[in-house]
Amino acid sequence: MHQDIQEHMYRMVDDYVYVEDLNGLLKSFIADKGQEQSSWARITFCTHYMLGGDSPHIERFAAVTELINLTLDIIDDLQDQDQTDKPWMKAPQATTLNTVLAMIMGVVGELGQLQVNGKMLFEATQIIARSINGQHKDIINASVSVDDYLIMTQEKSGSLFRLACFMGYLSLECPDETIEQLHELADCIGLIHQIQNDMRDLVRYDVKNDLYFKKRTLPILYLLSIEDEAFKPLKDYYAGKITADSLLHDKEAFNQMIHDSGCLEYSRVVQSICLQKAEEIYAKLQAASPWKEKFREITYGDFLHA
């Protein structure tokens, strides 16, 4: 994270949190996030400049993007009870929840100071609410089909990319067609990244493995659809007939079954279709160089080079 963006986030904390220990804790969360190679602020910058923006407040808008995503990351970790090395997971849960509330108020207050109008505030809340709805579907394992998964992922993950773009164009006069293209592109990017995460998480055997939460991700939905006796233990596990320990008693054999099943290849095919659609939308997008090219490189360029 760029130092200027981090300083704006610290300043937002100072504006709204005067209790010393809570202020310090919030800043430690921001500092931890700052060590990651986060792209959210850069997406906001690229969107703004490729659409002709020159706002003197773009760094503040980008800082809001980062603060919202940090807030959602913390909530996600609290829900999943993972990432135990993170400072927000080490702090008492009640205190961490207070930091979440403080960050939400900081975001609202910052947008107010930036004189974001009611229509734009409404659109921002719609995008964030869409992500929350998708996140809830994920928590309750609502996806029982590939179509369910695709919709849920666009809501949950695509909305985060929509938000980063939105913070870049909210101060601009943009054609409805351009905004619609950015939203569709963001949904494709969200799918591309989430499918990659799902493939990675399926073949790791720690608390992050999606199997332990009985999640129905894209590769797992493929496995559950296979009519073969070898996959009966997996179906029994999802039906609650056997435990995770029984399913994974021979992790090496189970891992080999996953690799032999074709579920990862299937997921890569779906991912490549999303990449193709992203490229089609990107080609039609009317935006200025070199920012348009930087936007592509930041959001999904690595997958094109894989």
Coordinates of all heavy atoms in Angstrom, one line a residue, residues 199-261:
M199 N -9.4 -23.1 -6.2 CA -8.5 -24.2 -6.6 C -7.4 -24.4 -5.6 O -7.0 -25.5 -5.2 CB -8.0 -23.9 -8.0 CG -9.0 -24.1 -9.1 SD -8.3 -24.1 -10.7 CE -7.8 -22.4 -10.9
R200 N -6.8 -23.3 -5.1 CA -5.7 -23.3 -4.2 C -6.2 -23.9 -2.8 O -5.5 -24.7 -2.2 CB -5.2 -21.9 -4.0 CG -4.0 -21.8 -3.0 CD -3.9 -20.3 -2.5 NE -5.1 -19.9 -1.8 CZ -5.5 -18.6 -1.7 NH1 -4.8 -17.7 -2.4 NH2 -6.5 -18.3 -1.0
D201 N -7.3 -23.4 -2.4 CA -7.8 -23.8 -1.0 C -8.2 -25.3 -1.0 O -8.2 -25.9 0.1 CB -9.0 -23.0 -0.6 CG -8.5 -21.5 -0.3 OD1 -7.3 -21.3 -0.2 OD2 -9.4 -20.6 -0.1
L202 N -8.6 -25.9 -2.1 CA -9.0 -27.3 -2.1 C -7.9 -28.2 -1.8 O -8.1 -29.3 -1.2 CB -9.7 -27.6 -3.5 CG -10.2 -29.0 -3.6 CD1 -11.3 -29.4 -2.5 CD2 -10.8 -29.3 -5.0
V203 N -6.7 -27.9 -2.2 CA -5.5 -28.8 -2.1 C -4.6 -28.4 -0.9 O -3.5 -28.9 -0.9 CB -4.7 -28.9 -3.4 CG1 -5.6 -29.5 -4.5 CG2 -4.3 -27.5 -3.8
R204 N -5.1 -27.6 0.0 CA -4.3 -27.4 1.2 C -5.1 -28.0 2.4 O -6.3 -27.9 2.4 CB -4.1 -25.9 1.5 CG -5.4 -25.1 1.5 CD -5.1 -23.6 1.6 NE -4.5 -23.1 2.8 CZ -4.3 -21.8 3.1 NH1 -4.6 -20.9 2.3 NH2 -3.7 -21.5 4.3
Y205 N -4.4 -28.6 3.3 CA -5.0 -29.3 4.4 C -4.8 -28.6 5.8 O -4.0 -29.1 6.6 CB -4.6 -30.8 4.4 CG -5.1 -31.4 3.2 CD1 -4.3 -31.7 2.1 CD2 -6.5 -31.7 3.0 CE1 -4.8 -32.2 0.9 CE2 -7.0 -32.3 1.9 CZ -6.1 -32.5 0.8 OH -6.6 -33.1 -0.3
D206 N -5.4 -27.5 5.9 CA -5.3 -26.8 7.2 C -6.7 -26.2 7.4 O -7.7 -26.5 6.7 CB -4.2 -25.7 7.3 CG -4.4 -24.7 6.1 OD1 -5.5 -24.6 5.5 OD2 -3.4 -24.1 5.7
V207 N -6.9 -25.3 8.4 CA -8.2 -24.8 8.7 C -8.8 -24.0 7.6 O -10.0 -23.7 7.6 CB -8.2 -23.9 10.0 CG1 -7.9 -24.8 11.2 CG2 -7.2 -22.8 9.8
K208 N -8.0 -23.6 6.6 CA -8.5 -22.8 5.5 C -9.1 -23.6 4.4 O -9.8 -23.1 3.5 CB -7.3 -22.0 4.9 CG -7.7 -21.0 3.8 CD -8.5 -19.9 4.4 CE -8.8 -18.8 3.3 NZ -9.8 -17.8 3.7
N209 N -8.9 -25.0 4.4 CA -9.5 -25.8 3.4 C -11.0 -25.7 3.4 O -11.7 -25.9 4.4 CB -9.1 -27.3 3.7 CG -9.4 -28.2 2.5 OD1 -10.5 -28.3 2.1 ND2 -8.4 -28.8 1.9
D210 N -11.5 -25.5 2.2 CA -13.0 -25.3 2.0 C -13.8 -26.6 2.4 O -15.0 -26.4 2.8 CB -13.3 -24.9 0.6 CG -12.9 -23.5 0.2 OD1 -12.9 -22.7 1.1 OD2 -12.5 -23.3 -0.9
L211 N -13.2 -27.7 2.4 CA -13.8 -28.9 2.8 C -14.3 -28.9 4.2 O -15.4 -29.4 4.6 CB -13.0 -30.2 2.5 CG -12.7 -30.6 1.1 CD1 -11.6 -31.6 1.0 CD2 -14.0 -31.1 0.5
Y212 N -13.5 -28.3 5.1 CA -13.8 -28.3 6.5 C -15.1 -27.5 6.8 O -15.8 -27.8 7.8 CB -12.6 -27.8 7.3 CG -11.4 -28.7 7.4 CD1 -10.2 -28.4 6.8 CD2 -11.5 -29.9 8.1 CE1 -9.1 -29.2 6.8 CE2 -10.4 -30.8 8.1 CZ -9.2 -30.4 7.5 OH -8.2 -31.3 7.5
F213 N -15.3 -26.5 5.9 CA -16.6 -25.7 6.1 C -17.7 -26.2 5.2 O -18.8 -25.6 5.2 CB -16.3 -24.3 5.8 CG -15.3 -23.6 6.7 CD1 -13.9 -23.6 6.4 CD2 -15.7 -23.1 7.9 CE1 -13.0 -23.0 7.3 CE2 -14.8 -22.5 8.8 CZ -13.5 -22.4 8.5
K214 N -17.4 -27.4 4.5 CA -18.4 -27.9 3.6 C -18.9 -26.9 2.6 O -20.1 -26.9 2.2 CB -19.6 -28.5 4.3 CG -19.3 -29.8 5.2 CD -20.5 -30.4 5.7 CE -20.1 -31.7 6.5 NZ -21.3 -32.3 7.2
K215 N -18.0 -26.1 2.1 CA -18.3 -25.1 1.1 C -18.5 -25.8 -0.2 O -17.8 -26.7 -0.5 CB -17.2 -24.0 1.0 CG -17.2 -23.0 2.2 CD -16.3 -21.9 2.0 CE -16.4 -20.9 3.1 NZ -15.6 -19.7 2.9
R216 N -19.4 -25.2 -1.0 CA -19.6 -25.7 -2.4 C -19.0 -24.8 -3.4 O -19.6 -24.0 -4.0 CB -21.1 -26.0 -2.7 CG -21.7 -27.1 -1.8 CD -23.1 -27.3 -2.2 NE -23.7 -28.4 -1.4 CZ -24.3 -28.2 -0.2 NH1 -24.4 -27.0 0.3 NH2 -24.8 -29.2 0.4
T217 N -17.7 -24.9 -3.5 CA -17.0 -24.0 -4.5 C -17.0 -24.7 -5.9 O -17.6 -25.8 -6.0 CB -15.5 -23.9 -4.1 OG1 -14.9 -25.2 -4.1 CG2 -15.4 -23.3 -2.7
L218 N -16.5 -24.0 -6.9 CA -16.6 -24.5 -8.2 C -16.0 -25.9 -8.4 O -16.7 -26.8 -8.9 CB -16.0 -23.5 -9.2 CG -16.2 -23.9 -10.7 CD1 -17.6 -23.8 -11.1 CD2 -15.4 -22.9 -11.6
P219 N -14.7 -26.1 -7.9 CA -14.2 -27.5 -8.1 C -14.9 -28.5 -7.2 O -15.1 -29.7 -7.7 CB -12.7 -27.3 -7.6 CG -12.7 -26.1 -6.8 CD -13.7 -25.2 -7.4
I220 N -15.4 -28.1 -6.1 CA -16.1 -29.1 -5.2 C -17.5 -29.4 -5.8 O -17.9 -30.6 -5.8 CB -16.3 -28.5 -3.8 CG1 -14.9 -28.5 -3.1 CG2 -17.3 -29.4 -3.0 CD1 -14.9 -27.9 -1.7
L221 N -18.2 -28.5 -6.4 CA -19.4 -28.8 -7.1 C -19.2 -29.8 -8.2 O -20.0 -30.6 -8.5 CB -20.1 -27.5 -7.6 CG -20.7 -26.6 -6.6 CD1 -21.0 -25.2 -7.2 CD2 -22.0 -27.2 -6.1
Y222 N -18.1 -29.6 -8.9 CA -17.7 -30.6 -10.0 C -17.6 -32.0 -9.4 O -18.1 -33.0 -9.9 CB -16.5 -30.1 -10.7 CG -16.0 -31.1 -11.8 CD1 -16.5 -31.0 -13.1 CD2 -15.1 -32.1 -11.5 CE1 -16.1 -31.8 -14.1 CE2 -14.7 -33.0 -12.5 CZ -15.2 -32.8 -13.8 OH -14.8 -33.7 -14.8
L223 N -16.8 -32.1 -8.3 CA -16.6 -33.4 -7.6 C -17.9 -34.0 -7.2 O -18.1 -35.2 -7.3 CB -15.7 -33.2 -6.4 CG -14.2 -32.9 -6.7 CD1 -13.5 -32.5 -5.4 CD2 -13.5 -34.0 -7.4
L224 N -18.8 -33.2 -6.6 CA -20.1 -33.7 -6.2 C -21.0 -34.2 -7.3 O -21.9 -35.0 -7.1 CB -20.8 -32.7 -5.3 CG -20.1 -32.3 -4.0 CD1 -20.8 -31.1 -3.4 CD2 -20.2 -33.5 -3.0
S225 N -20.7 -33.7 -8.5 CA -21.6 -34.1 -9.7 C -21.1 -35.4 -10.3 O -21.9 -35.9 -11.1 CB -21.5 -33.0 -10.7 OG -20.3 -32.9 -11.4
I226 N -19.9 -35.9 -9.9 CA -19.4 -37.1 -10.6 C -20.1 -38.3 -10.1 O -20.2 -38.6 -8.9 CB -17.9 -37.2 -10.4 CG1 -17.2 -36.0 -11.0 CG2 -17.4 -38.5 -11.0 CD1 -15.7 -36.0 -10.7
E227 N -20.7 -39.1 -11.0 CA -21.3 -40.4 -10.6 C -20.3 -41.5 -10.7 O -20.2 -42.2 -11.7 CB -22.5 -40.6 -11.6 CG -23.6 -39.6 -11.6 CD -24.3 -39.6 -10.2 OE1 -24.3 -40.7 -9.5 OE2 -24.9 -38.6 -9.8
D228 N -19.6 -41.7 -9.6 CA -18.6 -42.7 -9.5 C -18.5 -43.1 -8.0 O -18.5 -42.3 -7.1 CB -17.3 -42.1 -10.0 CG -16.2 -43.2 -10.1 OD1 -15.9 -43.9 -9.1 OD2 -15.6 -43.3 -11.2
E229 N -18.3 -44.4 -7.8 CA -18.3 -44.9 -6.4 C -17.1 -44.3 -5.6 O -17.2 -44.2 -4.4 CB -18.2 -46.4 -6.5 CG -18.4 -47.1 -5.1 CD -19.8 -46.9 -4.6 OE1 -20.7 -46.7 -5.4 OE2 -20.0 -47.0 -3.3
A230 N -16.0 -43.9 -6.4 CA -14.9 -43.4 -5.7 C -15.2 -42.1 -5.0 O -14.5 -41.7 -4.1 CB -13.7 -43.2 -6.7
F231 N -16.2 -41.4 -5.4 CA -16.5 -40.1 -4.9 C -17.7 -40.2 -3.9 O -18.1 -39.1 -3.3 CB -16.9 -39.1 -6.0 CG -15.7 -38.8 -6.9 CD1 -15.6 -39.6 -8.1 CD2 -14.8 -37.8 -6.6 CE1 -14.5 -39.4 -8.9 CE2 -13.8 -37.6 -7.5 CZ -13.6 -38.4 -8.6
K232 N -18.1 -41.4 -3.5 CA -19.2 -41.5 -2.6 C -18.8 -41.0 -1.2 O -19.6 -40.4 -0.5 CB -19.6 -43.0 -2.5 CG -20.8 -43.2 -1.6 CD -21.2 -44.7 -1.6 CE -22.5 -44.9 -0.8 NZ -22.4 -44.5 0.6
P233 N -17.6 -41.2 -0.7 CA -17.2 -40.7 0.6 C -17.4 -39.1 0.7 O -17.8 -38.6 1.7 CB -15.7 -41.1 0.8 CG -15.6 -42.3 0.0 CD -16.5 -42.1 -1.2
L234 N -17.0 -38.5 -0.4 CA -17.2 -37.0 -0.4 C -18.6 -36.6 -0.3 O -19.0 -35.7 0.4 CB -16.5 -36.4 -1.7 CG -16.6 -34.9 -1.9 CD1 -15.7 -34.2 -0.8 CD2 -16.2 -34.5 -3.3
K235 N -19.5 -37.3 -1.1 CA -20.9 -37.0 -1.0 C -21.5 -37.4 0.3 O -22.4 -36.6 0.9 CB -21.6 -37.8 -2.1 CG -21.3 -37.4 -3.5 CD -22.0 -38.2 -4.6 CE -21.5 -37.8 -6.0 NZ -22.2 -38.5 -7.0
D236 N -21.0 -38.5 0.9 CA -21.5 -38.8 2.3 C -21.1 -37.7 3.3 O -21.8 -37.4 4.2 CB -20.9 -40.2 2.7 CG -21.5 -41.3 2.0 OD1 -22.6 -41.1 1.4 OD2 -21.0 -42.4 2.0
Y237 N -19.9 -37.2 3.1 CA -19.4 -36.1 4.0 C -20.3 -34.9 3.9 O -20.7 -34.3 4.9 CB -17.9 -35.8 3.7 CG -17.4 -34.6 4.4 CD1 -17.3 -34.5 5.8 CD2 -17.1 -33.4 3.7 CE1 -16.8 -33.4 6.4 CE2 -16.6 -32.3 4.3 CZ -16.5 -32.3 5.7 OH -16.0 -31.2 6.3
Y238 N -20.6 -34.5 2.7 CA -21.5 -33.3 2.5 C -22.9 -33.6 3.0 O -23.6 -32.6 3.3 CB -21.4 -32.9 1.1 CG -20.3 -31.9 0.8 CD1 -19.0 -32.3 0.7 CD2 -20.5 -30.5 0.8 CE1 -17.9 -31.4 0.5 CE2 -19.5 -29.6 0.6 CZ -18.2 -30.0 0.5 OH -17.1 -29.2 0.3
A239 N -23.3 -34.9 3.0 CA -24.6 -35.2 3.5 C -24.6 -35.4 5.0 O -25.7 -35.7 5.6 CB -25.1 -36.5 2.8
G240 N -23.5 -35.3 5.6 CA -23.4 -35.4 7.1 C -23.3 -36.8 7.6 O -23.5 -37.1 8.8
K241 N -23.0 -37.8 6.7 CA -22.9 -39.2 7.1 C -21.6 -39.6 7.7 O -21.5 -40.6 8.4 CB -23.3 -40.1 5.9 CG -24.7 -39.8 5.4 CD -25.0 -40.7 4.2 CE -26.4 -40.5 3.6 NZ -26.6 -41.3 2.4
I242 N -20.5 -38.9 7.3 CA -19.2 -39.2 7.8 C -18.5 -37.9 8.2 O -18.9 -36.8 7.8 CB -18.3 -40.0 6.8 CG1 -18.0 -39.1 5.6 CG2 -19.0 -41.3 6.5 CD1 -17.0 -39.7 4.6
T243 N -17.4 -38.0 9.0 CA -16.7 -36.8 9.5 C -15.6 -36.4 8.5 O -15.2 -37.2 7.6 CB -16.1 -37.1 10.9 OG1 -15.1 -38.1 10.7 CG2 -17.2 -37.5 11.9
A244 N -15.1 -35.2 8.7 CA -13.9 -34.8 7.9 C -12.7 -35.7 8.1 O -12.0 -36.0 7.2 CB -13.6 -33.3 8.2
D245 N -12.5 -36.1 9.4 CA -11.4 -37.0 9.6 C -11.5 -38.3 8.9 O -10.5 -38.9 8.4 CB -11.3 -37.3 11.1 CG -10.8 -36.1 11.9 OD1 -10.3 -35.2 11.3 OD2 -11.1 -36.0 13.2
S246 N -12.7 -38.8 8.8 CA -12.9 -40.1 8.0 C -12.7 -39.8 6.5 O -12.0 -40.7 5.9 CB -14.4 -40.6 8.2 OG -14.6 -40.9 9.5
L247 N -13.1 -38.7 6.0 CA -12.9 -38.4 4.6 C -11.4 -38.2 4.3 O -11.0 -38.7 3.2 CB -13.7 -37.1 4.2 CG -13.5 -36.6 2.8 CD1 -14.2 -37.6 1.8 CD2 -14.1 -35.2 2.7
L248 N -10.7 -37.6 5.2 CA -9.3 -37.2 4.9 C -8.3 -38.1 5.7 O -7.2 -37.6 6.0 CB -9.1 -35.7 5.2 CG -10.0 -34.7 4.5 CD1 -9.8 -33.3 5.1 CD2 -9.7 -34.8 3.0
H249 N -8.7 -39.3 6.0 CA -7.8 -40.1 6.8 C -6.5 -40.4 6.0 O -5.5 -40.6 6.6 CB -8.5 -41.4 7.2 CG -8.8 -42.4 6.1 ND1 -9.8 -42.2 5.2 CD2 -8.1 -43.5 5.7 CE1 -9.8 -43.2 4.4 NE2 -8.8 -44.0 4.6
D250 N -6.6 -40.5 4.7 CA -5.5 -40.7 3.8 C -5.4 -39.5 2.9 O -5.9 -39.5 1.8 CB -5.6 -42.0 3.0 CG -4.3 -42.3 2.2 OD1 -3.5 -41.4 2.1 OD2 -4.2 -43.5 1.8
K251 N -4.7 -38.4 3.4 CA -4.7 -37.2 2.7 C -4.0 -37.3 1.3 O -4.4 -36.7 0.3 CB -4.1 -36.1 3.5 CG -4.9 -35.7 4.7 CD -4.2 -34.6 5.5 CE -5.1 -34.2 6.7 NZ -4.4 -33.2 7.6
E252 N -3.0 -38.1 1.3 CA -2.2 -38.3 0.0 C -3.1 -38.9 -1.1 O -3.1 -38.4 -2.2 CB -1.0 -39.1 0.3 CG -0.1 -39.2 -1.0 CD 1.2 -39.9 -0.7 OE1 1.6 -40.0 0.5 OE2 1.8 -40.5 -1.6
A253 N -3.9 -39.9 -0.7 CA -4.8 -40.6 -1.6 C -5.9 -39.6 -2.1 O -6.3 -39.6 -3.2 CB -5.3 -41.8 -1.0
F254 N -6.4 -38.9 -1.1 CA -7.5 -37.9 -1.4 C -7.0 -36.8 -2.3 O -7.7 -36.5 -3.3 CB -8.1 -37.3 -0.1 CG -9.3 -36.5 -0.3 CD1 -10.5 -37.1 -0.4 CD2 -9.2 -35.1 -0.4 CE1 -11.7 -36.3 -0.7 CE2 -10.3 -34.3 -0.6 CZ -11.6 -34.9 -0.8
N255 N -5.8 -36.4 -2.1 CA -5.2 -35.3 -2.9 C -5.0 -35.8 -4.3 O -5.3 -35.1 -5.3 CB -3.9 -34.9 -2.3 CG -3.4 -33.6 -3.0 OD1 -4.1 -32.6 -3.1 ND2 -2.1 -33.6 -3.4
Q256 N -4.6 -37.1 -4.4 CA -4.4 -37.7 -5.8 C -5.7 -37.8 -6.5 O -5.8 -37.6 -7.7 CB -3.7 -39.1 -5.6 CG -3.3 -39.7 -7.0 CD -2.3 -38.8 -7.7 OE1 -1.3 -38.4 -7.1 NE2 -2.5 -38.5 -9.0
M257 N -6.8 -38.2 -5.7 CA -8.1 -38.3 -6.3 C -8.6 -36.9 -6.9 O -9.2 -36.9 -8.0 CB -9.1 -38.8 -5.3 CG -10.5 -38.9 -5.8 SD -11.8 -39.1 -4.5 CE -11.9 -37.4 -4.0
I258 N -8.3 -35.9 -6.2 CA -8.7 -34.5 -6.6 C -8.0 -34.2 -7.9 O -8.6 -33.7 -8.9 CB -8.3 -33.5 -5.6 CG1 -9.3 -33.6 -4.4 CG2 -8.4 -32.0 -6.1 CD1 -9.0 -32.7 -3.2
H259 N -6.7 -34.5 -8.0 CA -5.9 -34.2 -9.2 C -6.3 -35.0 -10.4 O -6.3 -34.6 -11.5 CB -4.4 -34.3 -8.9 CG -3.8 -33.2 -8.1 ND1 -3.5 -32.0 -8.7 CD2 -3.5 -33.1 -6.8 CE1 -3.0 -31.1 -7.7 NE2 -3.0 -31.8 -6.6
D260 N -6.7 -36.2 -10.1 CA -7.1 -37.1 -11.2 C -8.6 -36.9 -11.6 O -9.0 -37.4 -12.7 CB -7.0 -38.6 -10.7 CG -5.6 -39.0 -10.5 OD1 -4.7 -38.3 -11.0 OD2 -5.3 -40.0 -9.9
S261 N -9.4 -36.2 -10.8 CA -10.8 -36.1 -11.1 C -11.1 -35.2 -12.3 O -12.2 -35.3 -12.9 CB -11.5 -35.6 -9.9 OG -11.1 -34.2 -9.6

